[in-house]
Amino acid sequence: AQSVSQHNHHVILSEAASLELGCNYSYGGTVNLFWYVQYPGQHLQLLLKYFSGDPLVKGIKGFEAEFIKSKFSFNLRKPSVQWSDTAEYFCAVGSGAGSYQLTFGKGTKLSVIP
Amino acid sequence: DTAVSQTPKYLVTQMGNDKSIKCEQNLGHDTMYWYKQDSKKFLKIMFSYNNKELIINETVPNRFSPKSPDKAHLNLHINSLELGDSAVYFCASSQRGTGNHGYTFGSGTRLTVV
């Protein structure tokens, strides 16, 4: 069975600081990787996804993530955060072609201080 | 047009009652899901249906019963509600195809059992 670990439970940054949220997964086969964002009181929205090809994936709102297969990692980055990035961020993994299920990490809460 | 819509958005009810949450998607996806998000924001899959067929049935009390009248609808019925059922319930859909392309989530139903 696959699992996802997000190392940081709560990250607090000042505006303009750089962000990196860690995500590691455990699964031996082909994986599809995702980052979702949940703004306060709202539903989850897809930030970016990786299936194959270039391991550096660019998403919406200036976010990017890098898939490092040897480290089973898919860390999320943003060079300069804004107050509006305050949200909960979830990493998720799907086990490749034909997979139905996404397994989510426990989430990282990001608080950006103006 | 809302892609995945859930009703109601909020539900407050007494212990022991029976309630239903409805979900509809207009994306033409063939797979739908119910997830439970607890107070710590942890997302746990409950059920998944593909073309009206139950394909994922995680360990949840049998007081929870999903019903999928067609591939665009997945409802969740809960009998004999308990305090521990209080959570946000998210419906999601995806197109299985040749790979898991991620979910589109509904806006959630916040269930409070008093």
Side-chain angles (χ1 to χ4, degrees), chain B residues 26-39:
Chain B
N26 63 6
L27 297 167
H29 288 167
D30 61 4
T31 308
M32 295 183 73
Y33 311 81
W34 278 111
Y35 273 80
K36 179 181 179 181
Q37 186 176 46
D38 62 22
S39 58

Side-chain angles (χ1 to χ4, degrees), chain A residues 34 36 38 43 97-98 100 102, chain B residues 33 35 37 55 96 98 103 106:
Chain A
F34 307 83
Y36 282 84
Q38 186 177 26
H43 62 286
Y100 293 107
L102 288 187
Chain B
Y33 311 81
Y35 273 80
Q37 186 176 46
I55 52 170
R96 183 181 171 216
T98 57
Y103 296 171

